[in-house]
Every structure is written in structure tokens, then in C-alpha cells.
Amino acid sequence: SVNRLALVQRGQNGMHLNAFVGDAKFGSKMHLRPENTGAVSAESASFMTVLGDAALDRPIIAEVVTFPSNQPAPRLQVVADVTDKTCGRDLLGSTLKTTSASAPTMGGLSLAVPGCDSVGERVVLDMERADAAVALASSMAKDQPLAAAAEE
């Protein structure tokens, strides 16, 4: 069985999910990101899937990390580049988590981007492991099953 954690955002707000499998370093083949989504090895079977069509006017994009439930969760980061379109804004998104042991959960995520004098820099929210990421998101928005959220 597998676990999944997704970062979902509306529009092209510039947040991205990074997943570091094992001892992966930035840019290595075990660093999963939108530019490197494939399974990193037969042993780990972790991968990222990007869903949505960024060419639409107001797309909904989901970056989903899938990892085996019998292996340690990857270390996760939410990253936003400071650009002329993102500077001085609060970027909003949602996290979704599914496991074989529990109902799907969701939470809100807000990332404050520095002012426009920081264009060219990057904001990194280190979420350590998938479980910590969901705990953080859940503290920002009431942790609830997806079915209940859809009914509200």
C-alpha cells in the first residue's frame, strides 16, 4: 500500500513541492520535484505526479508525492520563487493526505513571500517529513475528512 501527500493550488501562484527520498540532496535523482517526477529507484518506488493544465487561465494544479507505506516518508519542502508576480503576496494552497490506515485529510497552507526587493530569491518551508507536513497544515485549518469538507 502507499501513502500520498499533495500540494494543491489554484492559479499559477508559484508554490511547488519538493520531496527528498532517503538522504537525497537538492538536485539529485532522489530529489522529487515537478522537473524530476519519476520513480527514483526500484527499491524506493517513490514518485511525484503533477496534475492539472497550467496553460488554462486559472488552473488548479496538484503536485502529488506517492511513497510506500512500509518505508520512511520523504522529507518535504514547499518552495516559492520570489518573482515580480509573487513578491509581497501571501500564496495560498491546500495539502491533502491519504494513507491506507486512515480517511483522507486536508488542510490549508499560506506562505508569505518577501517584498519585491527580494526578487530572484527563494522561500523554503521545510516540512521535515510527510506526517509533520500534515500536522502543520492541520493546525492552520481544522483537520477533517475530505468527504466532510466537500459537504460544507
Side-chain angles (χ1 to χ4, degrees):
S1 68
V2 297
N3 296 330
R4 290 188 172 93
L5 182 80
L7 171 65
V8 181
Q9 54 191 321
R10 182 179 301 272
Q12 298 178 13
N13 73 9
M15 285 193 296
H16 295 285
L17 190 60
N18 283 334
F20 297 89
V21 179
D23 296 337
K25 303 289 183 220
F26 188 87
S28 72
K29 73 175 188 171
M30 306 225 1
H31 168 206
L32 301 178
R33 57 203 183 277
E35 302 82 25
N36 179 36
T37 60
V40 295
S41 72
E43 298 163 355
S44 109
S46 297
F47 60 94
M48 179 182 283
T49 305
V50 179
L51 304 170
D53 185 351
L56 297 174
D57 286 338
R58 294 214 15 98
I60 297 176
I61 305 293
E63 295 176 0
V64 183
V65 174
T66 302
F67 53 97
S69 58
N70 65 349
Q71 295 181 8
R75 185 171 52 89
L76 299 172
Q77 294 178 337
V78 174
V79 178
D81 291 324
V82 182
T83 68
D84 58 347
K85 292 181 181 179
T86 63
C87 62
R89 293 182 45 211
D90 288 337
L91 304 181
L92 305 175
S94 298
T95 59
L96 304 172
K97 179 185 178 186
T98 64
T99 70
S100 58
S102 62
T105 57
M106 64 183 284
L109 180 66
S110 175
L111 188 61
V113 179
C116 294
D117 56 337
S118 297
V119 167
E121 295 181 19
R122 174 176 287 166
V123 177
V124 178
L125 175 60
D126 194 351
M127 301 170 83
E128 194 56 34
R129 298 274 177 203
D131 291 338
V134 172
L136 173 65
S138 296
S139 71
M140 294 178 172
K142 186 162 87 177
D143 193 19
Q144 56 188 320
L146 286 178
E151 294 169 3
E152 292 181 352

